[in-house]
C-alpha cells in the first residue's frame, strides 16, 4: 500500500454555496445550511440548503402541475430526445467541474470520478435514444369486431432519491430514463454529496427542460425523503441506498400503493476454481474489493476460493494490495480515497475487530490510517472467515475483503446464496460449463464470468432478494417509468348482447 498525502490541496479552497431548484427557481432554505466537510481534507467545501417538509411539498406540487398541465409529457419523443442529447453534451462540457465536486464531497479519487462522469454522458445519450423507441402494441387478431391497442404512458411524478457513494452516476441511472418517458421528477441527493446534482439542475435548464419538470430538494431523509416517498401526488419512487432505508421507503410508498424501484445493498461473491486464470483474477479481486474504497453496493467483498488454491491466492492478493495507492483524492494516481464520515470509518473498523474476535485472521491491512487529514482505511484482507460471521454476511461498505473456502461446486453455490443479498456475483474458471452452472445457480441480478464489475448502458442492473426491486439501465429502462393502458375498440354492429335490444321489445 502506497500512501499519498497532500494536506494543503484544499487549504485555499473557498466553500461553494448552493441553492435548490423548485419550479424553475433557485432557492435557499429557511434554516442554516448543511456544511459538507471534505472527508479527505477535513475542511468545509460545500454548503447546501436544508430543505424542509414544505420545500418538498412545493417541489412535488410543481412536478405535478408540470406533468398534468405542462408541455413535457406532451412533446414528441424526438423533441424530448433532442433535449436529453443536449444535456449529455453539456454534462461532457462541465465534466471536470462535476468530477471535482464528487471528489471533494465524497472523497472519491478524481481519476475514478472522471470515468464515472464519462459513463454518465453515455447513459444520458442512451436514454435519449430509448425515448424514440418507446412504443405500445396493437392486436388485430381478436376477430372482426374488435381491435385492441396497448398504450404506454408516462407514469407521472417520480421521486428520485440517490446516495452519497456515486452522486452523479446514480442520478444518471434514473433521471434521464424518467424524463425520456415523459415523467416529471423531484430529486433528493444525499445531504453529504449534493453539489454535482445541483449543477445538473443548471445543465437541464440550459438544455431546455421546462420549469417544474425537474426539481432538486436538498436535505435529510426524515425531513425531505419521507414526504417524497409518501405524498399522494407522487406516482413512483426510485431509491438507491441501504436495504434498511429501502424497507422504510417501501413502507412509506405502501400508504398510497406507489410503484417502487429499489437498488439496495450487496455482499457479492467471487467464486474461484483451480483452473482459473489467476493472474487476471488477482487483479480483479483487488479492484473489486477496493474500488471506491469499498463503498460500493457491487463490491466483490466475498472471495469464495477452492481450498487447493486459497493460500497461494491470498498471498498474491496481499502482495498486490501493497501497491494500491491510498490517499488524497485529488491526486490523479490515487486509487483508494477517503471514507465518507468518521462514523462510517468506525463502523468499518468495528467489523474488522468483530471478525478478529470470531477467529478470522488479518492477511493484510486491518487498521485505520492517520494521514494528517480526513479519514482513511487501509485495504484489508481477512482470511479464515466462516459463512456465519457478520463480516461474511453483512455489508461492510469499506475496503475489506473476506476470504472463504470450498471443496465442491455445490458447496460454493450454497455459500454464495446463503445470505440475504443477491446483487451480483462472479465466477472464475476456464471451463465454460462450470461458469454457466454457477451463473445459472447464483441468486444474483448480475453474474460476471472471468471478469468483475464490468458494465454498459445496455445491460440491466438490479438485484435479487434484499438487494432490491426492479432493474435500471438496459433497453427496457424507459418502460419502467410508464403505465400500460388497454384500448379495447368495438367495430361494426354490436351483436350477441344478453340484454334484449330496444327495437326487439317494441
Amino acid at each position: 500500500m502506497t500512501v499519498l498525502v497532500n494536506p494543503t490541496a484544499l487549504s485555499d479552497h473557498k466553500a461553494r454555496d448552493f441553492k435548490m431548484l423548485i419550479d424553475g427557481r433557485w432557492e435557499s432554505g429557511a434554516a442554516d445550511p448543511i456544511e459538507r466537510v471534505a472527508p479527505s481534507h477535513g475542511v468545509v467545501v460545500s454548503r447546501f440548503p436544508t430543505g424542509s417538509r414544505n420545500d418538498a411539498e412545493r417541489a412535488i406540487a410543481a412536478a405535478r402541475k408540470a406533468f398534468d398541465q405542462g408541455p413535457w409529457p406532451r412533446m414528441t419523443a424526438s423533441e424530448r430526445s433532442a433535449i436529453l442529447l443536449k444535456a449529455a453534451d453539456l454534462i461532457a462540457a462541465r465534466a471536470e467541474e462535476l468530477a471535482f465536486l464528487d471528489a471533494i464531497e465524497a472523497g472519491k479519487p478524481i481519476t475514478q470520478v472522471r470515468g464515472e462522469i464519462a459513463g454518465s454522458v453515455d447513459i444520458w445519450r442512451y436514454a435519449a435514444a430509448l425515448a424514440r423507441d418507446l412504443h405500445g402494441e396493437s392486436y388485430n387478431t381478436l376477430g372482426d369486431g374488435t381491435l385492441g391497442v396497448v398504450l404506454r404512458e408516462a407514469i407521472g411524478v417520480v421521486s428520485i432519491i440517490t446516495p452519497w457513494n456515486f452522486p452523479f452516476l446514480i442520478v444518471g441511472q434514473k433521471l434521464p430514463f424518467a424524463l425520456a418517458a415523459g415523467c416529471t421528477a423531484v430529486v433528493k441527493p444525499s445531504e453529504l454529496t449534493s453539489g454535482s446534482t445541483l449543477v445538473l439542475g443548471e445543465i437541464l435548464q440550459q438544455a431546455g427542460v421546462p420549469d417544474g419538470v425537474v426539481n432538486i430538494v436538498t436535505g435529510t431523509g426524515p425531513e425531505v425523503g419521507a414526504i417524497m416517498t409518501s405524498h399522494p401526488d407522487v406516482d413512483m419512487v426510485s431509491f438507491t441506498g441501504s436495504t434498511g432505508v429501502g424497507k422504510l421507503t417501501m413502507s412509506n410508498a405502501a400508504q398510497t400503493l406507489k410503484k417502487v424501484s429499489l437498488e439496495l445493498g450487496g455482499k457479492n461473491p467471487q467464486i474461484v476454481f483451480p483452473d482459473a486464470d489467476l493472474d487476471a483474477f488477482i487483479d480483479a479481486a483487488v479492484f473489486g474489493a477496493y474500488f471506491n474504497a469499498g463503498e460500493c453496493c457491487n463490491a466483490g467483498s466475498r472471495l469464495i476460493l477452492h481450498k487447493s488454491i486459497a493460500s497461494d491466492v491470498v498471498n498474491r492478493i496481499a502482495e498486490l494490495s501493497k501497491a494500491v495507492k491510498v490517499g488524497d483524492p485529488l491526486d490523479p494516481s490515487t486509487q483508494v480515497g477517503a471514507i465518507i464520515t468518521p462514523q462510517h470509518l468506525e463502523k468499518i473498523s468495528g467489523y474488522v475487530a468483530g471478525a478478529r474476535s470470531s477467529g478470522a485472521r488479518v492477511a493484510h491491512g486491518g487498521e485505520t490510517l492517520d494521514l494528517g487529514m480526513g479519514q482513511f482505511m487501509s485495504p484489508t484482507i481477512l482470511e479464515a472467515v466462516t459463512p456465519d460471521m457478520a463480516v461474511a454476511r453483512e455489508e461492510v461498505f469499506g475496503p475489506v475483503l473476506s476470504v472463504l473456502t470450498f471443496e465442491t461446486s455445490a458447496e460454493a453455490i450454497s455459500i454464495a446464496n446463503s445470505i440475504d443479498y443477491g446483487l451480483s456475483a462472479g465466477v472464475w474458471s476456464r471451463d465454460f460449463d462450470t461458469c454457466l452452472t454457477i451463473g445459472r445457480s447464483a441468486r444474483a441480478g448480475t453474474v460476471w464470468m472471468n471478469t468483475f464489475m464490468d458494465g454498459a448502458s445496455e445491460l440491466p442492473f438490479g438485484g435479487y432478494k434484499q438487494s432490491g426491486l426492479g432493474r435500471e439501465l438496459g433497453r427496457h429502462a424507459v418502460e419502467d417509468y410508464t403505465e400500460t393502458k388497454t384500448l379495447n375498440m368495438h367495430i361494426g354492429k354490436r351483436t350477441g348482447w344478453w340484454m334484449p335490444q330496444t327495437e326487439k321489445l317494441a
Side-chain angles (χ1 to χ4, degrees), residues 2-16:
T2 302
V3 175
L4 303 170
V5 182
N6 184 10
T8 63
L10 287 175
S11 59
D12 296 327
H13 176 75
K14 183 179 179 181
R16 183 167 174 176

Side-chain angles (χ1 to χ4, degrees), residues 55-111:
D55 294 324
E57 290 175 339
R58 290 190 301 112
I60 292 168
R64 183 80 264 165
K65 182 179 179 181
F67 183 79
D68 292 342
Q69 303 175 27
W72 187 255
R74 295 156 188 86
M75 288 182 179
T76 66
S78 63
E79 289 171 330
R80 284 198 297 270
S81 178
I83 291 174
L84 295 180
L85 287 171
K86 186 173 181 180
D89 291 342
L90 292 170
I91 291 168
R94 298 180 71 170
E96 195 61 24
E97 174 189 3
L98 294 164
F100 177 77
L101 286 169
D102 277 5
I104 61 174
E105 291 176 9
K108 299 162 68 74
I110 188 71
T111 300

Side-chain angles (χ1 to χ4, degrees), residues 332-371:
S333 64
T334 293
Q335 295 167 303
V336 175
I339 302 301
I340 190 71
T341 63
Q343 295 78 14
H344 190 59
L345 179 62
E346 184 177 349
K347 174 187 172 184
I348 296 168
S349 298
Y351 272 108
V352 174
R356 277 174 159 164
S357 66
S358 298
R361 299 188 300 272
V362 176
H364 180 76
E367 70 277 347
T368 61
L369 299 174
D370 182 5
L371 306 186

Side-chain angles (χ1 to χ4, degrees), residues 295-318:
E295 297 170 326
C296 179
C297 57
N298 245 354
S301 55
R302 283 191 299 160
L303 295 191
I304 304 176
L305 307 177
H306 193 274
K307 283 186 177 180
S308 65
I309 60 171
S311 178
D312 176 58
V313 167
V314 169
N315 289 337
R316 291 180 63 182
I317 293 173

